[in-house]
Amino acid sequence: MRIRAALSGVLAAGAGIATGELFAALVVPAAGPVVGVGGVIIDATPTPVKEWAVRTFGTNDKPLLLTGIAAGLVVFAAIVGVLGLRRRVYGLAGAALLGLAGAAAAASRPAAGLLDGLPSLLGGAVAAGALLLLLRRLAGFPAAAPAAAAVGAVEGVGAVGAVGAAGGVEGDERRPARLLDRRAFIGTAAIVGAGAAVAGVGAAALHAAGRSAADRSRESIRLPAPASAAPPLPAGLITANRDFYRVDTALTVPRVDVGGWRLRVKGMVDRPLELSFDDLLSRPLIERDITLNCVSNEVGGPYVGTARWLGVHLADLLREARVRPGADQVVARSVDGMTIGTPLSVVLDGRDAMLCVGMNGEPLPLDHGFPVRMLTPGLYGYAGACKWVAEIELTTFSSYDAYWVQRGWAARGPVKTASRIDRPLPFARPAAGPVQVAGVAWAQGRGIAAVEVRVDDGPWQAATMLPSPTNDTWVQWRLDWAATPGNHLLRVRATDKTGAVQTPDRVTPFPDGATGWHSVSVTVA
Ligand SMILES: Nc1nc2c(c(=O)[nH]1)N[C@H]1C(S)=C(S)[C@@H](COP(=O)(O)O)O[C@H]1N2
Ligand SMILES: [Mo]
């Protein structure tokens, strides 16, 4: 009996959540209950735990979070089912709690609209109704049945045996009624389960359709040629879009229809602006090869890439908006409520801070901020590269902390000089003789002057650097090493064009970026 009550709880919760998701998909696509709760968890997760999750699970952190939420829900719903069997109000309270928690989560999202709580409230009501229905079926069961019900799959046999053992003639008399009750329960459970499945599949299909609508809107875009083109590309410099790292807090990628998209420039400006996507495309576009990296990247880590970006100069736009004296922070706000603050002085100092519409010859991929993202060469992504941007607000650092700053990260995020060994791989076993050691080094804005490699405790040897188009682009480097048998430790360090040598001091990414030399150990046969 308890197992059935638990199952009732899980089925009812499933039906409620699926209905909520379906309603959300139809009416307020960004406000699904699961994503709302997940978003709240992501935002509330303490920075060290977030760091650990990104380090341990990489881009799988989001599927894992969703799996965790699902597992927690199953346990909660099962308990509510069992309690609800004892007293209906417990069941109702459980369903209400689920609905209200989901609604509160959705309504508290930074980009929430008025209707965002509705899907969860509706879901809570459906869960309550389904639970009452299922529990009513169970109520028809005789009190002595727990042992029989617990037998589960083989209950046809087990139940009769158990009842026979428990009560002889009396058991035999109950059997027909119990079989009917059982059938009624299974029938109701099947209907609730099937309803949940249909609603869930429907919600997923609608989301997929929404995604493909965004894809279509993206595919319809023809990017104009740049007014200021980037120089020809050295081979191997660019990271392909599909290989470009992705770091963001978005559980579902925002799907923006360019037709309705507007960019507002507001706050401490004399002339607030509102621009459509076409307005942006009709401005002179610049094309630049810029390396972007994440402040969360560990020494030697993967969260760095270089792309050929197309977009408009942000400084030009700000000059048109006439920034008022006193403003010192540019806060970009995304369609999903992320805020990223960039020093105004950095945007205006002549570097190519831009609003990007293109990445490697295509409109921005959805994952990388379609239709428009900000990019500030020389700053970590969290401090200058807002994706899915909807608003640019001029304000001050003293009056506003952006999302990551509220969580303890440094308010200004200049990139630190870094270098990485990509070949040989850690613990590789190359043959003795010539081995090519190769990798990348970056110090956007300053540029890289030299890269050196050291084998064990030997001298630092200058690596060869391939041509790199600008100081905002990483350099690719190589060194031919005459490998001798045995275990060896390879280390790399870079020197930027101000003459500063990359520091060996190891610090963690939090709060303003990792430092230290990357090393790789290999065994030469
Ligand atoms: N809207 C939004 N923009 C965002 C983020 C985010 O979570 N949401 N993450 C930032 C961070 S921390 C980084 S490192 C870059 C990563 O950009 P990418 O995913 O295109 O590589 O995006 C930045 N822009
Ligand atoms: Mo980042």
Side-chain angles (χ1 to χ4, degrees), residues 170-397:
E170 195 186 306
D172 283 335
E173 277 172 2
R174 276 187 196 166
R175 205 176 348 156
R178 295 193 51 226
L179 281 176
L180 272 183
D181 287 336
R182 186 175 302 128
R183 264 186 221 135
F185 173 76
I186 291 171
T188 307
I191 289 169
V192 171
V198 168
V201 169
L206 284 169
H207 278 296
R211 183 159 179 124
S212 65
D215 279 330
R216 274 197 302 280
S217 132
R218 179 174 177 270
E219 275 151 25
S220 70
I221 291 169
R222 293 287 158 265
L223 293 176
S228 161
L233 270 180
L237 188 93
I238 291 293
T239 314
N241 288 354
R242 66 174 178 284
D243 299 329
F244 208 96
Y245 81 94
R246 174 185 165 202
V247 170
D248 56 58
T249 60
L251 264 181
T252 54
V253 175
R255 302 180 305 245
V256 179
D257 175 5
V258 272
W261 178 89
R262 293 291 180 277
L263 175 73
R264 270 171 289 276
V265 182
K266 58 177 227 183
M268 296 172 70
V269 294
D270 282 333
R271 280 192 28 200
L273 306 176
E274 183 170 317
L275 297 116
S276 68
F277 190 72
D278 285 341
D279 292 336
L280 275 191
L281 291 194
S282 65
R283 301 175 67 92
L285 300 181
I286 58 172
E287 181 186 58
R288 297 290 183 267
D289 300 324
I290 297 170
T291 297
L292 174 65
N293 55 322
C294 182
V295 69
S296 294
N297 200 36
E298 302 276 351
V299 170
Y303 301 138
V304 55
T306 300
R308 173 159 284 197
W309 307 94
L310 179 75
V312 306
H313 237 293
L314 181 56
D316 291 348
L317 261 188
L318 294 189
R319 274 188 277 273
E320 264 177 53
R322 300 221 190 93
V323 178
R324 292 197 192 127
D328 64 2
Q329 182 177 210
V330 180
V331 173
R333 193 169 279 110
S334 71
V335 300
D336 64 338
M338 167 58 66
T339 52
I340 286 184
T342 308
L344 176 63
S345 57
V346 163
V347 174
L348 298 181
D349 74 1
R351 76 183 76 195
D352 293 317
M354 56 201 281
L355 288 170
C356 304
V357 294
M359 180 177 184
N360 292 334
E362 313 171 2
L364 282 179
L366 301 195
D367 284 354
H368 296 290
F370 180 80
V372 177
R373 80 171 304 162
M374 212 172 120
L375 195 68
T376 312
L379 301 188
Y380 290 115
Y382 86 100
C386 190
K387 303 193 275 188
W388 312 292
V389 61
E391 222 173 76
I392 303 270
E393 181 175 354
L394 276 293
T395 178
T396 62
F397 277 103

Side-chain angles (χ1 to χ4, degrees), residues 47-125:
T47 294
V49 180
K50 249 190 213 141
E51 283 280 86
W52 169 83
V54 169
R55 198 163 53 235
T56 314
F57 307 118
T59 336
N60 292 325
D61 56 346
K62 291 184 186 105
L64 266 164
L65 173 66
L66 290 175
T67 312
I69 294 176
L73 273 172
V74 166
V75 172
F76 174 80
I79 293 173
V80 168
V82 172
L83 291 177
L85 184 64
R86 207 167 293 163
R87 281 194 173 217
R88 293 294 183 273
V89 300
Y90 293 154
L92 289 179
L97 193 66
L98 204 64
L100 289 174
S108 76
R109 304 304 300 140
L114 275 177
L115 296 178
D116 284 12
L118 270 186
S120 295
L121 294 179
L122 179 74

